[in-house]
């Protein structure tokens, strides 16, 4: 096989992939001009809630299509930073933000429409927050928001999103039933499916398993490893084992500062900073 | 596929911030409208009332005992004393009944019956004022007449009993929430010291709920002072200070509603009426501000301070308990109090049953097809009820059409857009509180001056509807705001995180979840509009109606006003019973509908369906 053949082969393969994920193409055409890819860059981020400084000069680069974990004790600023990335902090009164935040090379606080940003940077919260509607309507909420009305298209999106969230088998026979009748773990995976339905480039997970049992937690962890093939996953977690299990890169925060940020293995086996070492060995936190 | 992309693009382009901003502006406008209405009523009262009070002289007006427009003598001392007496009497009856009934519901009633019991008590609150008045005249007064020397049951005793039953639901529902909020640990602490159940309830739980119970009493006072139609029907109407329980007298509200008649602004007596309303308004406003101070205090206090206070209160209570035990709490008083609970609960149920049964049993036989629906036909004269039914429906339709969007819009603005602590928001909120506390007769007087005379709409269904709009907006706004605030924040976050705009989030997630609450608010408002009489009497028409209304510009007597008129004219007793029965059935049906629909909706929202 010549080298040319090889590249050609790769190309057809990738073509096939994009065809399967037809929605992905659509999204790329839509917002390719705004968000290039799922890489995230934060430069000199400072954030205050009133007088309290929650983030102190944080800078980090998060690679496209990898799982990145934010760890650290409560109140260290990891969730705050996460919420900066889809501008959910805008909702909080008295919150002041400085610094440059980029998603796919675009400054999200200057040039991007906040709703378009949130479409591209999805979020799943600590507690499942499904709407009091049917499963089907929950998944369709995002696509409908962004202008998709055709039943056939919506059906396709629902099936695909549920399959991607590994929920299809559990949910396919009760799509028209209220989503609130599902168990906690199922609800959280439905939340992930709902976020996936708008084809985001980045998915933010804010302690998604803290309210779940070990089996449901395992399912969501498996899911993140699948998801990173398509998008960037950033997960805030209190559970260090979870970070080692699923994250490619890990960032350790303490009192609003980014203490250490490197490949997960490196950070856990060979931490550079003594504070990181003390935290991961359980000396404080 | 390209198509959808293009469609998507144009959608995006056509709804930039302009749309969001526009929607926000509409909501803000709705909220501001309520504030302006409150300000307008306030300004009107002062601008018309103060000069006329000044004309008579403040002291002569307030302390003068003679009210005689024929000789230009305007002293409202008798009416003020009458108002005070009725309020005190109502508080004695309603406060005692309400307090014990609340303790029963909160602490003695079987858990399963609790909700049902509360709902029955709230039914009493939904019964229109004219029905109470009617019940007072035809059922209560003959009974009370047997007790009096002069053979007439009219007077302070009858007013106190009726008003007491009317304010009881307010006191019960507020006191029950106060009692339910007392931490279980306080009760258990008292039981651990060897108290019996009743000793613990009255020795520890009730004192801990004292501020809430007091607030409920104050609110009850406000209701009693502002009540108009029922009082006007049963007080007798003599302009003298009553010297016994069975003497005819007047209150400020009855003075206004019975005396205004065809007077117009500019008339000296009209001015004196507004002056009276001014005094009444001030009285009620002070009461409402006191309630706010009582209940608002807790909300604004930093949690820490509140916790500290709770702690000291807890220890105080316990040390109080110990000393009380040392003095050996007399068992007899506790037994009497406990018995009071059961008796009060029974009395409130009995009152509800008596009113409903008497009116239905005596009223239903008088319902006839001709009497109700004939356009020309008659009962004893040329009177049918049809024109009034149509007028009432017209008023209901127009006022809900305006008040529901305005109230709901204002509620959305206050709960979702307005910044907390913002100066203007605070002003709007206070205005709505004031608006909600204004007695209905003051609305009537304002509507009469502004819509009927200043706007030149005349006595018409339109004037009546607009007056009712002002009255109902705060009702809808406040309960919708509560309902919207109760929607979990997660819904909003979830929707925003999917890239939905704020307006879409509100319409698609927040409002559907708040629907049961909003629906209750609208049904409650409907009940209030149908039962409302005092404001409509002064704005929409107050007499025998004969002809069907031509449109919104023609006069129209609402059902409740019709009942008052029938009763006043003596000749139409059968018609009065029939009207009362219709009114009561409508109110009961609305209550039933709201209960059932809200239950169904909540079930659906919880995911059981």
């Amino acid at each position: 096989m010549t080298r040319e053949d090889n590249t050609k082969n790769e190309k057809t393969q990738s073509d096939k992939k994009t065809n399967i994920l037809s929605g992905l193409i659509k999204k790329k055409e839509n917002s390719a001009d705004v968000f290039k890819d799922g890489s995230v860059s934060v430069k000199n981020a400072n954030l205050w809630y009133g007088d309290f400084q929650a983030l102190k000069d944080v800078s980090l680069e998060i690679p496209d299509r990898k799982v990145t974990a934010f760890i650290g004790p409560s109140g260290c600023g990891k969730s705050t930073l996460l919420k900066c990335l889809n501008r959910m902090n805008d909702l909080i009164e008295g919150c002041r933000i400085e610094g440059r935040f980029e998603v796919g090379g675009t400054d999200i606080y200057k040039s991007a429409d906040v709703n378009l940003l949130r479409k591209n940077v999805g979020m799943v919260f600590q507690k499942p927050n499904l709407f009091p509607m049917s499963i089907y309507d929950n998944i369709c909420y995002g696509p409908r928001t962004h202008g998709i009305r055709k039943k056939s298209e919506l059906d396709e999106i629902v099936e695909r999103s549920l399959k991607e969230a590994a929920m299809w088998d559990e949910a396919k026979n009760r799509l028209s039933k209220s989503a609130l009748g599902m168990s906690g773990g199922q609800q959280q995976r439905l939340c992930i499916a709902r976020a996936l339905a708008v084809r985001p480039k980045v998915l933010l997970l804010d302690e998604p398993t803290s309210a779940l049992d070990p089996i449901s937690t395992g399912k969501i962890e498996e899911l993140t490893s699948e998801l990173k093939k398509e998008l960037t996953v950033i997960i805030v977690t209190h559970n260090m084992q979870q970070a080692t299990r699923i994250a490619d890169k890990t960032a350790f925060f303490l009192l609003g500062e980014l203490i250490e940020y490197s490949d997960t293995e490196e950070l856990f086996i060979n931490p550079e900073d003594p504070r990181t070492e003390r935290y991961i060995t359980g000396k404080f936190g | 596929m390209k198509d959808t992309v293009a469609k998507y693009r144009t959608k995006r382009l056509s709804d930039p911030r302009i749309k969001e901003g526009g929607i926000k502006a509409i909501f803000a406008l709705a909220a501001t409208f309520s504030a302006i209405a409150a300000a307008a009523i306030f300004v009107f009262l002062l601008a018309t009332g103060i000069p006329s009070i000044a004309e008579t002289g403040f002291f002569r007006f307030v302390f003068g005992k003679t009210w005689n427009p024929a000789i230009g003598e305007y002293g409202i001392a008798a009416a003020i004393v009458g108002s005070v007496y009725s309020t005190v009497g109502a508080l004695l009856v309603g406060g005692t009944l309400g307090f014990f009934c609340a303790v029963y519901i909160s602490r003695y009633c079987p858990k399963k019956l609790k909700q049902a019991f509360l709902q029955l008590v709230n039914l009493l609150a939904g019964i229109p004022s004219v029905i109470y008045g009617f019940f007072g005249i035809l059922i209560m007064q003959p009974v009370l007449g047997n007790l009096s020397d002069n053979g007439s049951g009219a007077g302070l005793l009858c007013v106190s009993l009726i008003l007491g039953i009317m304010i009881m639901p307010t006191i019960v529902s507020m006191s029950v929430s106060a009692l339910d909020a007392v931490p279980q640990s306080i009760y258990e602490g008292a039981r651990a010291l060897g108290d019996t159940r009743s000793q613990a309830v009255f020795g520890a739980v009730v004192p801990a709920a004292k501020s809430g119970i007091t607030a409920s009493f104050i609110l009850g006072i406000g209701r009693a002072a502002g009540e108009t139609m029922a009082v006007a029907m049963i007080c007798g109407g003599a302009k003298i200070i009553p010297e016994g329980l069975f003497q005819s007298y007047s209150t400020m509200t009855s003075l206004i509603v019975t005396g205004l008649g065809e007077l117009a602004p500019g008339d000296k007596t009209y001015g004196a009426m507004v002056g009276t309303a001014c005094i009444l308004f001030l009285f009620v406003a002070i009461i409402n501000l006191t309630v706010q101070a009582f209940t608002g205090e807790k909300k604004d206090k930093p949690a820490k301070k509140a916790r500290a206070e709770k702690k000291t209160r807890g220890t105080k209570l316990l040390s109080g308990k110990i000393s009380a035990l040392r003095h050996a709490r007399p068992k007899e008083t506790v037994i009497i109090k406990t018995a009071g609970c059961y008796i009060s609960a029974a009395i409130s149920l009995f009152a509800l049953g008596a009113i409903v049964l008497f009116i239905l049993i005596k009223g239903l036989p008088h319902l006839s097809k001709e009497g109700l629906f004939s356009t020309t036909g008659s009962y004893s004269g040329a009177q049918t009820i049809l024109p009034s039914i149509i007028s009432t429906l017209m008023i209901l339709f127009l006022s809900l059409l305006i008040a529901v969007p305005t109230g709901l819009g204002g509620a959305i603005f206050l709960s979702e857009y307005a910044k907390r602590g913002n100066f203007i928001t605070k002003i709007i909120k206070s205005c709505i509180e004031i608006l909600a506390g204004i007695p209905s007769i003051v609305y009537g007087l304002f509507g009469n001056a502004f819509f009927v005379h200043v706007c030149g709409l005349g006595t018409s269904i339109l004037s009546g509807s607009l007056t009712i709009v002002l009255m109902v907006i705060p009702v809808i706004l406040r309960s919708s705001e509560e309902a919207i605030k109760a929607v979990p924040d997660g819904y909003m976050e979830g929707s925003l995180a999917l890239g939905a705009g704020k307006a879409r989030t509100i319409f698609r997630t927040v409002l559907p979840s708040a629907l049961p609450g909003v629906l209750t608010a609208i049904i409650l408002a409907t009940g209030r509009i149908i039962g409302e009489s005092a404001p409509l009497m002064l704005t929409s028409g107050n007499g025998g109606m004969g002809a069907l209304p031509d449109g919104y510009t023609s006069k129209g007597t609402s059902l409740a006003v019709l009942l008052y008129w029938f009763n006043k004219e003596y000749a139409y007793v059968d018609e009065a019973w029939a009207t009362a029965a219709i009114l009561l059935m409508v109110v009961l049906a609305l209550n039933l509908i709201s209960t059932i629909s809200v239950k169904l909706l909540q079930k659906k929202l919880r995911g059981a369906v």
Side-chain angles (χ1 to χ4, degrees):
Chain A
M1 204 189 274
T2 64
R3 201 175 153 191
E4 218 180 14
D5 274 339
N6 210 345
T7 27
K8 207 179 168 188
N9 200 9
E10 258 181 40
K11 215 177 170 188
T12 43
Q13 230 175 21
S14 72
D15 271 351
K16 211 171 156 191
K17 201 167 156 191
T18 31
N19 270 335
I20 294 167
L21 300 158
S22 58
L24 194 65
I25 299 180
K26 207 184 299 164
K27 181 210 69 181
K28 274 188 174 161
E29 280 175 1
N30 274 330
S31 44
D33 45 338
V34 186
F35 304 104
K36 249 188 7 268
D37 57 20
S39 65
V40 174
S41 152
V42 178
K43 287 194 188 94
N44 306 102
N46 282 294
L47 183 144
W48 291 264
Y49 292 126
D51 295 331
F52 173 72
Q53 187 168 7
L55 287 180
K56 292 170 189 161
D57 211 30
V58 173
S59 297
L60 79 170
E61 302 281 333
I62 294 167
D64 187 22
R65 297 181 199 210
K66 289 275 188 299
V67 176
T68 303
F70 291 177
I71 61 168
S74 299
C76 69
K78 51 192 191 310
S79 283
T80 302
L81 180 61
L82 196 74
K83 283 182 182 161
C84 286
L85 302 180
N86 68 344
R87 294 184 55 179
M88 286 305 273
N89 279 331
D90 290 14
L91 302 180
I92 299 167
E93 276 175 46
C95 174
R96 193 156 57 83
I97 303 168
E98 275 175 15
R100 193 175 165 84
F101 297 82
E102 285 177 7
V103 172
T106 304
D107 186 328
I108 58 173
Y109 280 85
K110 287 215 178 89
S111 46
D113 167 18
V114 62
N115 296 332
L116 190 60
L117 167 74
R118 287 178 185 152
K119 177 183 175 298
N120 281 280
V121 182
M123 184 167 197
V124 172
F125 297 80
Q126 198 167 347
K127 277 190 201 141
N129 58 355
L130 291 167
F131 307 129
M133 314 168 181
S134 69
I135 293 174
Y136 185 90
D137 287 337
N138 260 287
I139 308 284
C140 288
Y141 187 88
R144 280 179 179 146
T145 297
H146 299 289
I148 298 174
R149 292 277 181 276
K150 247 203 220 149
K151 177 92 170 86
S152 58
E153 255 180 282
L154 290 173
D155 287 346
E156 198 185 311
I157 290 174
V158 168
E159 183 171 347
R160 188 192 56 218
S161 312
L162 285 172
K163 277 182 176 161
E164 282 171 356
M167 271 299 290
W168 179 244
D169 291 333
E170 288 155 83
K172 65 182 174 196
N173 291 327
R174 45 193 297 191
L175 288 177
S176 60
K177 295 263 168 62
S178 168
L180 301 186
M182 306 291 262
S183 76
Q186 286 173 321
Q187 287 197 24
Q188 194 63 304
R189 278 183 289 140
L190 278 179
C191 283
I192 295 178
R194 188 177 66 181
L196 293 176
V198 289
R199 308 269 83 196
K201 289 196 169 85
V202 181
L203 185 62
L204 310 175
L205 304 172
D206 189 2
E207 298 182 35
T209 60
S210 62
L212 302 183
D213 63 273
I215 293 172
S216 305
T217 303
K219 282 186 180 159
I220 286 182
E221 288 180 4
E222 252 171 64
L223 192 55
T224 48
S225 314
E226 281 299 310
L227 289 176
K228 74 173 177 185
K229 291 175 190 160
E230 307 300 335
L231 41 79
T232 309
V233 176
I234 306 176
I235 180 168
V236 165
T237 178
H238 266 295
N239 181 335
M240 277 175 282
Q241 278 73 40
Q242 187 166 60
T244 58
R245 281 196 297 264
I246 61 173
D248 301 301
K249 302 199 78 160
T250 299
F252 170 61
F253 292 84
L254 189 62
L255 299 170
E257 282 178 81
L258 174 62
I259 304 297
E260 193 165 346
Y261 174 51
S262 59
D263 289 343
T264 303
E265 239 169 79
E266 180 113 0
L267 186 127
F268 279 96
I269 294 171
N270 199 6
E272 267 175 29
D273 197 291
R275 286 171 292 182
T276 315
E277 189 180 355
R278 270 190 292 158
Y279 181 70
I280 59 179
T281 52
K283 297 265 166 59
F284 69 89
Chain B
M1 196 152 63
K2 281 256 165 176
D3 269 349
T4 40
V5 173
K7 201 168 76 190
Y8 173 81
R9 278 247 167 95
T10 49
K11 280 222 171 218
R12 268 273 136 229
L13 287 176
S14 69
D15 71 349
R17 265 148 238 173
I18 302 167
K19 193 175 146 200
E20 290 280 333
I23 290 174
K24 181 181 173 180
I26 291 172
F27 290 149
L29 205 69
T32 321
F33 180 78
S34 320
I36 291 174
I41 294 179
F42 192 65
V43 168
F44 155 75
L45 276 181
L46 293 186
T48 330
I50 288 182
S52 69
I53 294 178
E55 206 184 321
T56 315
F58 180 77
F59 283 97
R60 223 170 122 204
F61 185 72
V62 174
F63 297 109
K65 283 186 192 162
T66 328
W67 172 277
N68 190 349
I71 56 166
E73 201 51 65
Y74 300 107
I76 59 166
I80 292 179
V81 173
S83 280
V84 172
Y85 279 178
S86 329
T87 308
V88 171
L91 194 66
L92 283 178
V93 176
T96 321
L97 268 182
F99 167 72
F100 284 115
C101 195
V103 175
Y104 172 79
I105 292 177
S106 172
R107 297 285 154 177
Y108 291 99
C109 180
K111 284 266 167 331
K112 276 182 194 162
L113 295 179
K114 190 169 165 180
Q115 236 19 62
F117 209 120
L118 263 178
Q119 235 148 27
L120 283 179
V121 172
N122 281 335
L123 250 186
L124 275 175
I127 294 177
S129 172
V130 269
I131 297 227
Y132 277 107
F134 190 62
F135 180 80
I137 287 184
L138 289 173
I139 310 289
M140 203 98 113
Q141 281 182 359
V143 178
L144 292 178
N146 298 331
L147 302 174
S148 78
D149 308 329
N150 59 11
S152 153
L156 192 53
L157 182 64
C158 187
V159 171
S160 300
L161 289 173
I162 292 286
L163 265 187
I165 296 172
M166 289 178 79
I167 66 169
M168 190 191 72
T170 312
I171 293 176
V172 168
S173 55
M174 210 167 156
S175 298
V176 166
S177 358
L179 286 165
D180 283 350
V182 173
Q184 190 63 13
S185 59
I186 287 186
Y187 174 75
E188 283 165 1
R191 288 306 291 269
L193 289 169
D195 271 12
T196 62
R197 178 184 188 174
S198 300
Q199 280 173 324
V201 167
F202 284 101
V205 176
V206 169
K210 209 164 67 185
S211 71
I213 294 174
T214 316
S216 80
F217 278 32
I218 301 173
L219 203 66
I221 294 177
R223 289 276 150 80
E227 178 48 48
T228 307
M229 291 308 263
V231 178
M233 286 165 87
I234 51 188
C235 67
K239 274 110 192 138
I240 50 163
I241 296 176
E243 281 162 355
L245 290 175
F246 297 105
Q247 204 169 26
S248 166
Y249 72 108
S250 289
T251 65
M252 289 190 272
T253 51
S254 76
L255 189 70
I256 299 172
V257 80
T258 52
L260 201 70
E262 295 300 312
L263 296 174
D267 190 290
K268 215 178 157 204
T269 314
Y270 192 94
M273 297 281 188
V274 182
T276 314
C278 246
I279 307 269
L280 178 69
F281 175 73
L282 283 181
F283 181 62
V284 175
I286 290 170
I287 285 172
N288 283 323
L289 289 178
T290 326
V291 177
Q292 265 191 57
F294 257 93
T295 48
E297 195 183 17
K298 266 181 260 156
K299 274 182 230 154
D300 298 338
K301 226 181 257 167
K304 215 171 161 188
K305 206 172 158 193
R307 257 206 307 274
E309 197 167 77
K310 212 176 191 177
K311 223 173 175 180
T312 53
R313 199 162 63 178
T315 43
K316 241 194 255 163
L317 271 171
L318 277 189
S319 62
K321 281 299 320 156
I322 292 163
S323 66
L325 277 182
R326 219 176 287 140
H327 295 295
R329 182 181 301 281
K331 236 182 177 166
E332 296 74 34
T333 52
V334 172
I335 291 173
I336 291 171
K337 282 178 181 171
T338 314
C341 286
Y342 285 92
I343 293 169
S344 299
I347 291 179
S348 62
L349 280 190
F350 173 76
L352 177 68
I355 293 172
V356 171
L357 287 181
F358 261 114
I359 300 233
L360 290 187
I361 289 172
K362 300 213 48 164
L364 287 176
H366 294 297
L367 288 179
S368 71
K369 214 169 137 198
E370 304 90 68
L372 281 179
F373 300 117
S374 151
T375 43
T376 53
S378 65
Y379 273 107
S380 34
Q383 303 298 342
T384 75
I385 299 174
L386 184 68
S388 280
I389 294 178
I390 300 214
S391 303
T392 310
L393 290 178
M394 283 170 78
I395 292 168
L396 184 67
F397 173 75
L398 185 63
S399 49
L400 283 183
L401 191 71
I402 303 174
V404 169
T406 316
L408 195 55
I412 292 172
F413 180 78
L414 287 181
S415 51
E416 299 294 345
Y417 287 99
K419 291 202 172 69
R420 246 170 294 143
N422 180 308
F423 182 64
I424 294 175
T425 313
K426 272 187 190 162
I427 289 188
I428 292 182
K429 283 200 165 173
S430 312
C431 283
I432 290 159
E433 288 299 317
I434 293 174
L435 207 53
I438 296 177
S440 61
I441 182 68
V442 176
Y443 281 106
L445 208 50
F446 174 77
N448 181 283
F450 187 74
F451 296 122
V452 174
H453 291 112
V454 176
C455 299
L457 300 174
T459 305
S460 64
I461 297 180
L462 184 61
S463 301
S465 308
L466 293 176
T467 311
I468 291 288
V469 165
L470 294 183
M471 208 187 75
V472 180
I473 282 177
V475 177
I476 294 177
L477 193 149
R478 293 203 316 175
S479 4
S480 309
E481 198 189 343
E482 294 286 307
I484 291 171
K485 278 190 175 153
V487 174
D489 288 343
Y491 293 173
M492 182 143 207
E493 283 177 350
S495 170
L496 288 176
L498 287 169
K502 193 157 189 179
R504 185 179 165 84
T505 300
I506 289 169
F507 283 114
R508 299 302 296 272
T509 59
V510 177
L511 282 186
S513 308
L515 196 62
V518 173
L519 201 69
T520 320
I522 294 172
I523 295 175
L524 274 182
T526 306
R528 231 184 124 175
I529 295 170
I530 291 175
E532 196 51 67
S533 37
L536 288 175
M537 214 174 124
L538 304 185
T539 52
S540 160
N542 64 341
M545 52 305 98
L548 288 170
D550 295 331
Y552 274 98
T553 48
S554 71
K555 275 191 184 186
T557 307
S558 83
L559 269 180
V561 177
L562 184 70
L563 174 56
Y564 175 80
W565 186 83
F566 276 150
N567 181 65
K568 202 177 71 181
E569 298 294 310
Y570 299 115
Y572 305 103
V573 181
D574 294 352
E575 289 87 336
W577 278 114
T579 316
I582 294 176
L583 264 180
L584 190 65
M585 283 191 299
V586 170
V587 170
L588 293 183
L590 281 174
N591 257 291
L592 200 69
I593 292 170
S594 92
T595 315
I596 293 172
S597 59
V598 166
K599 278 228 170 93
L600 283 179
L601 273 174
Q602 274 174 346
K603 227 183 197 172
K604 201 176 161 196
L605 284 178
R606 272 202 308 267
V609 176

